[in-house]
Amino acid sequence: MLIRFLHFIKEKRFYIFFLSMMLTVLSGFLASRLTIKADLLELLPDHFDSVQSLKKISALTGGLGYMIVVFESDNAEQNIEFLEEYSERAKSDPDILYVNHKNPSEFIQKNGILWLPLEDLKRMRDDLNNRINYYRKKALSLLPEELGPPPPFHTQALLKDLEEKVKTSPYHQSKDGKMLLSVLKPTIDSNNIGLTKNLILRMTTLKDELAVKYPEVTVHFTGMYPMKRSQIKALEADLLIASLFTVIGVSLSLLFFFRSPKAILIVLFPLVTSLVWTLGINYLLIGHVNLISSFFVSVLLGLGIDYSLQVYSRFKEEYLKNQDYIRAIFISFITTGKGTLFGALTTFGVFFVLIFSDFLTFKETGVLASVGILMILLSIVIHLPILVYFTKPSFSYFKNQKTDDHERRFSIRLMSAINRHKLGIIRVSGLLILAGVFILPYNRFQYDFSKIENRNTAPRLMWERLTHAFDYSWRPAVASVNSLDDLDKLRDYLNSDEAAKNPMLNRHVSMLNFFPYPKHDLSLRVRTVHSIRSKLLKSMPSLKPGDRAQVQKYLQYLNPKPTDLENYPRSIKNAFMGKNAEGETVYFCQIYPISTLGNGLNAFEHARWLKALPEKAGIDMTISSDIIILEDILNLVVSEGKIILPIALLIVILLIYILFRSVWKTILVLSPLIVGLYTAAVILGFSNIISPVGISLNYLNVVAIPILLGVGIDFSIHIFHRIEEAFGKKNKPLKNKWKDIVQTAQALGVSAITTIIGFSSLFLASYNGLRSIAWVSVIGIMVILVTSSVLMPAMFFYIREKFPNLGAKQDEREALKKDLHR
């Protein structure tokens, strides 16, 4: 069937090539419409509770996140003027819902005393009564000395506490006073990168226009909207650099190995074409790429070149023997086709399992990789023969007999060394495995997400500065309740001793920080405050000068004018009130963690506490936080990894057994892969022993494990397939058998180099997590290449020496089938 297909391609090559190019152009058009999703909060499926809560809170608050404009200067006057003018101009933008650049400080100072507990107000009143009664009795007493000292003036201490509670800057100001904030609430979704880009451009233009008047002020942009835009921008730049790096690196490797520019075209063209097809199909299936799959295009180029290299390398070998293009093409596909097909199928199987993951990073990467493997195979079968017919490579460099003799001598020395020391190689491998048992426990999982993300963009750096400048996280959890009664219950719990046991809890803010509740005693509160004011004014003449000056200072807080919620300042209502789908009012409580919530273990402990909050507080609420979603992501990776990896390994074992139809061959082919993966894990553990910043696993680089399964099994299949083919020819000299094996190993070496180049492109990424994928993958590929090229031949030679008849009957049956087929 394969021969007939190759004949068909040869006869119809011009028509097939034309149709292929038309398909490539169409796929390229679809691929150009792909968008990038870089937010880690978008990696969970919609049916997760945390995602549903996030969407509900987002709908109630008008969308999560803000655009924060930071004004920084030592010149306080210019800073305030710039802030005021910019904020007023920004309000007129059609995509801005509201601008919050001021605190309602006058309202807070005026009514703040009503937010104190009624018990404190009564204590003030009683304290003043006692104080006034004391001085009245003293004035009327004939023996005032017998009355003793005046009672303690608790009201003064209570008024000082009140001042701390209501004291607020008119502006959102940092502790050192040098930074002022204007918080913009856009009406657009931050995931709409096009609209977000235009909004940021307009806000930047406004900043540049006004900056001429305020030369001493520096303006920064941060918040979810600028951070998402900067992430996408950084990813786009990284993708371009990574793609160029991969193409140039692979091209140079091919040029060195084949000594011909034609090889670059023949080997790379099918891969590039297949990648365009893959991206076009990915657009139809998914419509976007995520943080990992966006870079996986470069990785696929490195993976797919293995198949193209094996076919073309064998073509070169056969052509140098008979100088016949057609015969060499047919032989190369027939001899390498089975190994290439099953190698690709095992890799496909590993990636296909990822499609069933709920973790969207795995699922979408699995779709892209699975489709990519199939498209690469199809493109190689179609384009490689056509390009050979078109370009007619001559391999003139390799026709030199000296080159052939040099390769033969090298092959003999290498394989004879492996043959002589086969038992030693096996023993050393065993000792390394035993030693690795003591090193494996040093592998660690990276829970600190701040060390995984891209922290080098200007908006992200500014975000971290704000966290320290204001001493709390700017990404609070948001709890939504349906009534002020529920909000009051939540406040009581968050103020309780039980809640205080959570060391991650910093503070909580809600409407009740600004609204006297329960409201049934509001009139009593007002009368009590007015009573206190009246008594203070009457007692002023009898107070000591120091007390009199202090009381005069606090009289400004003792004349409240309460108002209904509807008449509250808009800045307070925007932050703490909303409307649900039925038009009913809902109330928000912002729960802030401590500013140092970077360690993932602390974050997950806080996330579990937040999840349990509705039950602990005893109220119905919706609560959402990026910390909760990150915890769900990690739990999902851990739980699914326990299922996906065994299934992927089972698929690999099953396909290997189908290919070789022998238990001992299956074990032999799998051994280098398993030893290689084990050794790579030992190296990662050792890196943590010798360095405090060693290579740790995280929820992004675990995707490298199924990748290594797919890549590693390709190496093992090709090496063993060539060993079996070489030693299956009984009349062939041993030296020629060794040369055949080494030639395949050399092709695999170039394939490994190109694959490493593909993964090394991730070193250029801004995300530390993506760079960690490169470390794990490169180390794993190098180790598996060594175990496949050295350990497998050593094991094969040892088994043939100790068990010469092992598998003989099966080999005879297969040889008979081949003879009958001929």
Side-chain angles (χ1 to χ4, degrees), residues 248-449:
I248 293 173
V250 169
S251 299
L252 292 175
S253 302
L254 294 174
L255 185 62
F256 177 80
F257 184 64
F258 291 107
R259 302 297 202 279
S260 170
K262 292 180 180 179
I264 299 174
L265 173 65
I266 296 172
V267 175
L268 273 185
F269 184 85
L271 299 183
V272 174
T273 304
S274 63
L275 291 182
V276 176
W277 296 351
T278 300
L279 291 175
I281 296 173
N282 192 75
Y283 172 77
L284 296 175
L285 296 177
I286 299 176
H288 62 263
V289 289
N290 61 45
L291 192 61
I292 293 180
S293 63
S294 60
F295 277 88
F296 212 77
V297 176
S298 296
V299 174
L300 270 177
L301 186 62
L303 287 173
I305 205 167
D306 176 34
Y307 315 133
S308 192
L309 262 174
Q310 290 301 318
V311 175
Y312 191 66
S313 180
R314 188 59 182 267
F315 166 76
K316 181 199 79 171
E317 183 182 338
E318 296 299 327
Y319 176 77
L320 291 174
K321 291 178 183 177
N322 51 55
Q323 307 293 309
D324 186 334
Y325 289 110
I326 297 177
R327 178 179 173 82
I329 279 288
F330 286 0
I331 292 176
S332 64
F333 271 99
I334 291 170
T335 53
T336 64
K338 190 176 181 181
T340 299
L341 176 61
F342 272 84
L345 286 178
T346 53
T347 307
F348 170 83
V350 169
F351 286 124
F352 187 73
V353 174
L354 297 179
I355 295 176
F356 300 97
S357 170
D358 278 330
F359 186 35
L360 296 186
T361 294
F362 287 176
K363 178 189 288 289
E364 293 172 4
T365 302
V367 170
L368 182 73
S370 300
V371 172
I373 295 296
L374 296 179
M375 292 300 102
I376 287 170
L377 278 180
L378 178 62
S379 184
I380 289 172
V381 173
I382 292 174
H383 291 118
L384 197 144
I386 292 175
L387 291 170
V388 167
Y389 298 143
F390 284 168
T391 61
K392 293 184 168 36
S394 60
F395 304 108
S396 56
Y397 175 85
F398 296 96
K399 291 179 180 178
N400 188 332
Q401 188 63 36
K402 293 180 180 179
T403 302
D404 188 62
D405 291 341
H406 174 75
E407 288 184 357
R408 189 186 300 274
R409 288 195 299 270
F410 172 78
S411 304
I412 293 172
R413 286 197 300 270
L414 177 62
M415 298 309 297
S416 61
I418 293 175
N419 188 33
R420 284 197 312 272
H421 303 291
K422 53 184 176 291
L423 187 57
I425 292 171
I426 295 172
R427 286 174 175 171
V428 169
S429 300
L431 290 174
L432 290 175
I433 291 173
L434 290 176
V437 172
F438 301 98
I439 301 176
L440 279 178
Y442 288 94
N443 277 289
R444 58 177 181 239
F445 198 92
Q446 180 58 263
Y447 291 99
D448 190 344
F449 294 113

Side-chain angles (χ1 to χ4, degrees), residues 123-313:
R123 283 182 62 195
M124 281 187 185
R125 182 191 61 194
D126 295 342
D127 182 52
L128 278 171
N129 286 332
N130 293 335
R131 189 88 168 181
I132 291 170
N133 290 335
Y134 169 82
Y135 283 111
R136 182 181 295 121
K137 289 179 181 179
K138 190 172 182 178
L140 299 174
S141 175
L142 297 174
L143 299 171
E145 292 79 6
E146 294 182 358
L147 293 176
F153 191 31
H154 297 296
T155 296
Q156 184 172 336
L158 288 170
L159 287 172
K160 284 185 178 179
D161 292 340
L162 172 64
E163 183 185 30
E164 289 300 317
K165 289 185 178 181
V166 302
K167 182 176 65 176
T168 179
S169 166
Y171 303 98
H172 305 298
Q173 192 171 31
S174 61
K175 291 180 291 184
D176 61 7
K178 294 182 179 181
M179 297 171 64
L180 300 177
L181 307 183
S182 182
V183 181
L184 281 55
K185 181 64 177 178
T187 58
I188 60 176
D189 188 348
S190 61
N191 292 321
N192 191 324
I193 299 302
L195 293 180
T196 298
K197 178 182 177 181
N198 292 333
L199 173 62
I200 294 173
L201 180 61
R202 294 197 301 274
M203 294 298 102
T204 304
T205 302
L206 176 60
K207 180 262 293 183
D208 294 338
E209 179 184 334
L210 297 176
V212 179
K213 298 167 58 177
Y214 308 101
E216 297 183 42
V217 181
T218 304
V219 179
H220 314 273
F221 293 97
T222 187
M224 183 174 291
Y225 289 79
M227 285 198 295
K228 279 197 175 184
R229 172 57 190 149
S230 64
Q231 288 173 358
I232 297 298
K233 192 174 180 180
L235 271 177
E236 290 171 347
D238 289 345
L239 279 171
L240 178 60
I241 295 173
S243 301
L244 291 175
F245 176 84
T246 303
V247 171
I248 293 173
V250 169
S251 299
L252 292 175
S253 302
L254 294 174
L255 185 62
F256 177 80
F257 184 64
F258 291 107
R259 302 297 202 279
S260 170
K262 292 180 180 179
I264 299 174
L265 173 65
I266 296 172
V267 175
L268 273 185
F269 184 85
L271 299 183
V272 174
T273 304
S274 63
L275 291 182
V276 176
W277 296 351
T278 300
L279 291 175
I281 296 173
N282 192 75
Y283 172 77
L284 296 175
L285 296 177
I286 299 176
H288 62 263
V289 289
N290 61 45
L291 192 61
I292 293 180
S293 63
S294 60
F295 277 88
F296 212 77
V297 176
S298 296
V299 174
L300 270 177
L301 186 62
L303 287 173
I305 205 167
D306 176 34
Y307 315 133
S308 192
L309 262 174
Q310 290 301 318
V311 175
Y312 191 66
S313 180

